[in-house]
Amino acid sequence: MDPRLAQLLQMTSLYGTLAKFYEHSDPEKHIYFYKKHIQYEMQLVQTYWALHGHGHGQPETHAWDDHYHA
């Protein structure tokens, strides 16, 4: 796996977990961490498709099938 993807995946997961943890106990922290999660998630998707030559963050159907079933 590309190191950039690995790092973005790790950050996306971390902030998603923190957002979920604070969802019912601290709404302000939940919102903060959820926004960070979304930020890294968008970067992850953009980087994934940029590395796989599809650009614009939009998967091509056949390419998605190839990656999904691999």
Side-chain angles (χ1 to χ4, degrees):
M1 176 182 287
D2 182 274
R4 293 169 289 181
L5 279 180
Q7 182 179 18
L8 288 169
L9 185 58
Q10 183 178 25
M11 298 305 288
T12 300
S13 179
L14 170 66
Y15 285 119
T17 300
L18 288 168
K20 192 68 177 167
F21 179 80
Y22 286 111
E23 185 173 14
H24 300 288
S25 63
D26 190 330
E28 287 182 25
K29 284 183 182 176
H30 167 70
I31 291 169
Y32 173 80
F33 288 123
Y34 186 72
K35 286 180 179 179
K36 297 293 276 183
H37 167 74
I38 294 298
Q39 173 190 349
Y40 280 102
E41 188 175 57
M42 288 174 32
Q43 288 179 30
L44 173 68
V45 171
Q46 290 172 351
T47 302
Y48 176 84
W49 290 116
L51 289 170
H52 290 85
H54 301 296
H56 307 296
Q58 299 297 320
E60 294 177 10
T61 304
H62 70 279
W64 172 253
D65 290 342
D66 291 345
H67 292 292
Y68 185 72
H69 296 293

